[in-house]
Short mmCIF file of all heavy atoms in Angstrom, two decimals:
data_model
loop_
_atom_site.label_atom_id
_atom_site.label_comp_id
_atom_site.label_asym_id
_atom_site.label_seq_id
_atom_site.Cartn_x
_atom_site.Cartn_y
_atom_site.Cartn_z
N ASP B 1 90.41 -208.60 159.12
CA ASP B 1 89.89 -209.93 159.43
C ASP B 1 91.05 -210.89 159.65
O ASP B 1 91.41 -211.68 158.78
CB ASP B 1 89.00 -210.42 158.28
CG ASP B 1 88.17 -211.65 158.66
OD1 ASP B 1 88.53 -212.29 159.66
OD2 ASP B 1 87.20 -211.96 157.96
N PRO B 2 91.67 -210.86 160.84
CA PRO B 2 92.83 -211.72 161.09
C PRO B 2 92.52 -213.20 161.03
O PRO B 2 93.38 -214.01 160.67
CB PRO B 2 93.29 -211.30 162.49
CG PRO B 2 92.11 -210.64 163.11
CD PRO B 2 91.35 -210.00 162.00
N ALA B 3 91.29 -213.58 161.38
CA ALA B 3 90.93 -215.01 161.32
C ALA B 3 90.95 -215.49 159.87
O ALA B 3 91.47 -216.58 159.57
CB ALA B 3 89.56 -215.24 161.94
N ALA B 4 90.37 -214.71 158.96
CA ALA B 4 90.39 -215.07 157.55
C ALA B 4 91.82 -215.07 157.01
O ALA B 4 92.20 -215.93 156.20
CB ALA B 4 89.53 -214.12 156.73
N ALA B 5 92.62 -214.11 157.49
CA ALA B 5 94.02 -214.06 157.06
C ALA B 5 94.75 -215.33 157.46
O ALA B 5 95.49 -215.92 156.66
CB ALA B 5 94.71 -212.85 157.68
N GLN B 6 94.54 -215.79 158.70
CA GLN B 6 95.21 -217.00 159.16
C GLN B 6 94.75 -218.22 158.35
O GLN B 6 95.55 -219.10 158.02
CB GLN B 6 94.92 -217.23 160.64
CG GLN B 6 95.69 -218.39 161.25
CD GLN B 6 97.19 -218.15 161.21
OE1 GLN B 6 97.71 -217.25 161.87
NE2 GLN B 6 97.91 -218.95 160.43
N THR B 7 93.46 -218.26 158.02
CA THR B 7 92.95 -219.37 157.22
C THR B 7 93.63 -219.42 155.86
O THR B 7 94.03 -220.49 155.39
CB THR B 7 91.42 -219.23 157.04
OG1 THR B 7 90.79 -219.28 158.33
CG2 THR B 7 90.87 -220.35 156.17
N TRP B 8 93.78 -218.26 155.24
CA TRP B 8 94.43 -218.20 153.94
C TRP B 8 95.91 -218.62 154.03
O TRP B 8 96.41 -219.38 153.18
CB TRP B 8 94.35 -216.79 153.35
CG TRP B 8 93.12 -216.54 152.55
CD1 TRP B 8 92.06 -215.73 152.88
CD2 TRP B 8 92.80 -217.08 151.26
NE1 TRP B 8 91.11 -215.75 151.89
CE2 TRP B 8 91.54 -216.57 150.88
CE3 TRP B 8 93.45 -217.96 150.40
CZ2 TRP B 8 90.93 -216.91 149.68
CZ3 TRP B 8 92.85 -218.30 149.20
CH2 TRP B 8 91.59 -217.77 148.85
N ILE B 9 96.61 -218.13 155.05
CA ILE B 9 98.05 -218.45 155.17
C ILE B 9 98.25 -219.94 155.45
O ILE B 9 99.13 -220.58 154.87
CB ILE B 9 98.69 -217.60 156.28
CG1 ILE B 9 98.63 -216.11 155.92
CG2 ILE B 9 100.12 -218.03 156.52
CD1 ILE B 9 99.36 -215.73 154.65
N THR B 10 97.41 -220.49 156.32
CA THR B 10 97.51 -221.92 156.61
C THR B 10 97.25 -222.75 155.36
O THR B 10 97.94 -223.73 155.06
CB THR B 10 96.52 -222.31 157.72
OG1 THR B 10 96.81 -221.55 158.89
CG2 THR B 10 96.60 -223.79 158.04
N ASP B 11 96.23 -222.34 154.60
CA ASP B 11 95.91 -223.04 153.36
C ASP B 11 97.02 -222.88 152.33
O ASP B 11 97.34 -223.82 151.58
CB ASP B 11 94.58 -222.52 152.80
CG ASP B 11 94.16 -223.25 151.54
OD1 ASP B 11 93.88 -224.47 151.63
OD2 ASP B 11 94.11 -222.62 150.46
N ALA B 12 97.63 -221.69 152.28
CA ALA B 12 98.72 -221.45 151.33
C ALA B 12 99.90 -222.37 151.61
O ALA B 12 100.51 -222.95 150.70
CB ALA B 12 99.17 -219.99 151.40
N ARG B 13 100.19 -222.54 152.90
CA ARG B 13 101.32 -223.43 153.25
C ARG B 13 100.99 -224.88 152.88
O ARG B 13 101.86 -225.60 152.36
CB ARG B 13 101.61 -223.31 154.74
CG ARG B 13 102.87 -224.04 155.15
CD ARG B 13 103.20 -223.80 156.62
NE ARG B 13 104.49 -224.40 156.94
CZ ARG B 13 105.66 -223.80 156.81
NH1 ARG B 13 105.71 -222.56 156.35
NH2 ARG B 13 106.78 -224.40 157.12
N ARG B 14 99.78 -225.30 153.14
CA ARG B 14 99.38 -226.67 152.80
C ARG B 14 99.49 -226.90 151.30
O ARG B 14 100.00 -227.93 150.85
CB ARG B 14 97.94 -226.93 153.27
CG ARG B 14 97.40 -228.31 152.91
CD ARG B 14 95.92 -228.41 153.22
NE ARG B 14 95.11 -227.48 152.46
CZ ARG B 14 94.77 -227.66 151.18
NH1 ARG B 14 95.18 -228.74 150.53
NH2 ARG B 14 94.03 -226.76 150.55
N ARG B 15 99.02 -225.93 150.51
CA ARG B 15 99.07 -226.08 149.06
C ARG B 15 100.51 -226.13 148.55
O ARG B 15 100.87 -226.97 147.72
CB ARG B 15 98.33 -224.91 148.39
CG ARG B 15 96.82 -224.96 148.56
CD ARG B 15 96.16 -223.68 148.03
NE ARG B 15 94.71 -223.71 148.19
CZ ARG B 15 93.86 -224.25 147.32
NH1 ARG B 15 94.33 -224.81 146.21
NH2 ARG B 15 92.57 -224.23 147.54
N CYS B 16 101.34 -225.24 149.04
CA CYS B 16 102.72 -225.18 148.57
C CYS B 16 103.50 -226.44 148.95
O CYS B 16 104.27 -226.98 148.14
CB CYS B 16 103.41 -223.95 149.17
SG CYS B 16 105.16 -223.81 148.76
N ASP B 17 103.27 -226.93 150.17
CA ASP B 17 104.09 -228.03 150.68
C ASP B 17 103.53 -229.41 150.37
O ASP B 17 104.03 -230.41 150.89
CB ASP B 17 104.24 -227.88 152.21
CG ASP B 17 105.09 -226.68 152.58
OD1 ASP B 17 105.64 -226.04 151.67
OD2 ASP B 17 105.19 -226.38 153.79
N ARG B 18 102.53 -229.47 149.50
CA ARG B 18 101.94 -230.79 149.22
C ARG B 18 102.81 -231.64 148.31
O ARG B 18 102.53 -232.83 148.11
CB ARG B 18 100.54 -230.64 148.63
CG ARG B 18 100.46 -230.12 147.20
CD ARG B 18 99.01 -230.10 146.72
NE ARG B 18 98.85 -229.70 145.34
CZ ARG B 18 98.51 -228.50 144.94
NH1 ARG B 18 98.31 -227.54 145.85
NH2 ARG B 18 98.38 -228.22 143.66
N VAL B 19 103.86 -231.08 147.74
CA VAL B 19 104.80 -231.85 146.93
C VAL B 19 106.18 -231.76 147.56
O VAL B 19 106.53 -230.76 148.19
CB VAL B 19 104.85 -231.35 145.47
CG1 VAL B 19 103.56 -231.66 144.75
CG2 VAL B 19 105.16 -229.86 145.42
N SER B 20 106.96 -232.82 147.40
CA SER B 20 108.28 -232.85 148.04
C SER B 20 109.27 -231.93 147.35
O SER B 20 110.24 -231.48 147.97
CB SER B 20 108.82 -234.29 148.04
OG SER B 20 108.94 -234.78 146.72
N ASP B 21 109.07 -231.64 146.05
CA ASP B 21 110.01 -230.79 145.33
C ASP B 21 109.49 -229.36 145.20
O ASP B 21 109.66 -228.71 144.18
CB ASP B 21 110.33 -231.38 143.96
CG ASP B 21 109.08 -231.58 143.10
OD1 ASP B 21 107.97 -231.31 143.59
OD2 ASP B 21 109.22 -232.02 141.94
N ARG B 22 108.86 -228.89 146.26
CA ARG B 22 108.36 -227.51 146.27
C ARG B 22 109.53 -226.53 146.15
O ARG B 22 110.68 -226.86 146.45
CB ARG B 22 107.62 -227.25 147.58
CG ARG B 22 108.49 -227.41 148.82
CD ARG B 22 107.67 -227.35 150.08
NE ARG B 22 108.44 -227.76 151.25
CZ ARG B 22 108.60 -229.02 151.64
NH1 ARG B 22 108.04 -229.99 150.96
NH2 ARG B 22 109.30 -229.30 152.73
N TYR B 23 109.20 -225.31 145.77
CA TYR B 23 110.18 -224.23 145.75
C TYR B 23 110.36 -223.75 147.18
O TYR B 23 109.46 -223.17 147.77
CB TYR B 23 109.66 -223.12 144.83
CG TYR B 23 110.59 -221.96 144.62
CD1 TYR B 23 111.94 -221.99 144.98
CD2 TYR B 23 110.11 -220.78 144.04
CE1 TYR B 23 112.77 -220.91 144.77
CE2 TYR B 23 110.93 -219.69 143.82
CZ TYR B 23 112.26 -219.76 144.19
OH TYR B 23 113.08 -218.68 143.98
N VAL B 24 111.53 -224.00 147.76
CA VAL B 24 111.70 -223.76 149.20
C VAL B 24 111.60 -222.28 149.54
O VAL B 24 111.19 -221.93 150.65
CB VAL B 24 113.04 -224.35 149.70
CG1 VAL B 24 113.06 -225.86 149.54
CG2 VAL B 24 114.23 -223.71 148.99
N TRP B 25 111.95 -221.40 148.62
CA TRP B 25 111.84 -219.97 148.90
C TRP B 25 110.38 -219.59 149.13
O TRP B 25 110.06 -218.84 150.06
CB TRP B 25 112.43 -219.14 147.76
CG TRP B 25 112.48 -217.68 148.07
CD1 TRP B 25 113.51 -216.98 148.63
CD2 TRP B 25 111.42 -216.72 147.87
NE1 TRP B 25 113.17 -215.65 148.79
CE2 TRP B 25 111.89 -215.47 148.34
CE3 TRP B 25 110.14 -216.79 147.36
CZ2 TRP B 25 111.12 -214.31 148.29
CZ3 TRP B 25 109.36 -215.63 147.32
CH2 TRP B 25 109.84 -214.41 147.77
N VAL B 26 109.48 -220.09 148.29
CA VAL B 26 108.06 -219.77 148.45
C VAL B 26 107.54 -220.32 149.77
O VAL B 26 106.79 -219.65 150.50
CB VAL B 26 107.24 -220.32 147.27
CG1 VAL B 26 105.74 -220.17 147.53
CG2 VAL B 26 107.61 -219.60 145.97
N SER B 27 107.94 -221.53 150.12
CA SER B 27 107.52 -222.12 151.38
C SER B 27 107.96 -221.26 152.56
O SER B 27 107.20 -221.02 153.51
CB SER B 27 108.07 -223.54 151.51
OG SER B 27 107.59 -224.16 152.68
N ALA B 28 109.20 -220.77 152.52
CA ALA B 28 109.70 -219.90 153.59
C ALA B 28 108.99 -218.55 153.59
O ALA B 28 108.73 -217.97 154.66
CB ALA B 28 111.21 -219.71 153.44
N TYR B 29 108.67 -218.03 152.43
CA TYR B 29 107.95 -216.75 152.31
C TYR B 29 106.58 -216.85 152.99
O TYR B 29 106.15 -215.93 153.69
CB TYR B 29 107.81 -216.42 150.83
CG TYR B 29 107.49 -214.98 150.50
CD1 TYR B 29 108.08 -213.93 151.16
CD2 TYR B 29 106.59 -214.69 149.47
CE1 TYR B 29 107.80 -212.61 150.82
CE2 TYR B 29 106.31 -213.38 149.11
CZ TYR B 29 106.91 -212.35 149.80
OH TYR B 29 106.62 -211.05 149.44
N ILE B 30 105.93 -217.97 152.80
CA ILE B 30 104.63 -218.19 153.46
C ILE B 30 104.83 -218.34 154.96
O ILE B 30 104.06 -217.81 155.77
CB ILE B 30 103.94 -219.42 152.86
CG1 ILE B 30 103.63 -219.19 151.38
CG2 ILE B 30 102.65 -219.74 153.63
CD1 ILE B 30 103.21 -220.44 150.63
N ALA B 31 105.88 -219.06 155.36
CA ALA B 31 106.15 -219.24 156.79
C ALA B 31 106.44 -217.91 157.47
O ALA B 31 106.06 -217.70 158.63
CB ALA B 31 107.33 -220.20 156.98
N LEU B 32 107.11 -216.99 156.76
CA LEU B 32 107.35 -215.66 157.33
C LEU B 32 106.05 -214.91 157.53
O LEU B 32 105.85 -214.24 158.55
CB LEU B 32 108.29 -214.86 156.42
CG LEU B 32 108.57 -213.42 156.85
CD1 LEU B 32 109.16 -213.36 158.25
CD2 LEU B 32 109.48 -212.73 155.84
#
């Protein structure tokens, strides 16, 4: 289900990046 996968990844990035002092490694891991 690639559509559901994309929804989850997009949401994961939004959740991680909602604070300015996020852990940059996690943000990059999601971007990969």
